[in-house]
Amino acid sequence: PQMPVEALAGDNFSHITKNTLVTLAANARLAQVDKVIDAFSSLMKAHRKEVDAVITSAEPLTKAQTRAISSALTPHIKQGEKVVLSTKVDPSILGGLTILIGDKFLDLSAAAKIAALQRAI
């Protein structure tokens, strides 16, 4: 037997969340809950004036390096916005960094420089 969404949620969710889940379930859209969560998250980040920045490096960054990069990114965002920084490690870039801030991408990796040199030869 299937349990109603309200019973599954219990007291773990607000009434607004429960109502949203019930509405999605009633319209056979419960499988779309990830998209709803992503859209809500994007709206909240925009409301809080947060800009996502993802720094990819070949090796893990130290806290000091992360702070320095975060400070260097500040002039590249609008007044009043806040950088929300996350880091990733990808050994395939060989060295340097790639930076994705908002919808802008900057490739400062060794792999990109090598590829550019190969194209030039």
Side-chain angles (χ1 to χ4, degrees), residues 68-94:
I69 293 168
S70 182
S71 295
L73 293 176
T74 303
H76 300 282
I77 61 172
K78 295 176 187 167
Q79 182 76 23
E81 290 182 332
K82 176 184 164 190
V83 175
V84 178
L85 192 64
S86 62
T87 59
K88 295 189 321 186
V89 175
D90 180 1
S92 72
I93 69 169
L94 303 177

Side-chain angles (χ1 to χ4, degrees), residues 38-55:
D38 289 344
F40 181 76
S41 178
S42 294
L43 288 171
M44 286 306 298
K45 283 183 179 188
H47 177 72
R48 292 188 300 252
K49 297 186 179 185
E50 295 176 344
V51 178
D52 285 329
V54 180
I55 309 300

Side-chain angles (χ1 to χ4, degrees), residues 18-41:
K18 286 180 190 178
N19 288 343
T20 302
L21 292 173
V22 167
T23 302
L24 288 170
N27 291 293
R29 298 278 192 252
L30 205 50
Q32 304 296 317
V33 74
D34 289 348
K35 291 179 182 175
V36 173
I37 292 168
D38 289 344
F40 181 76
S41 178

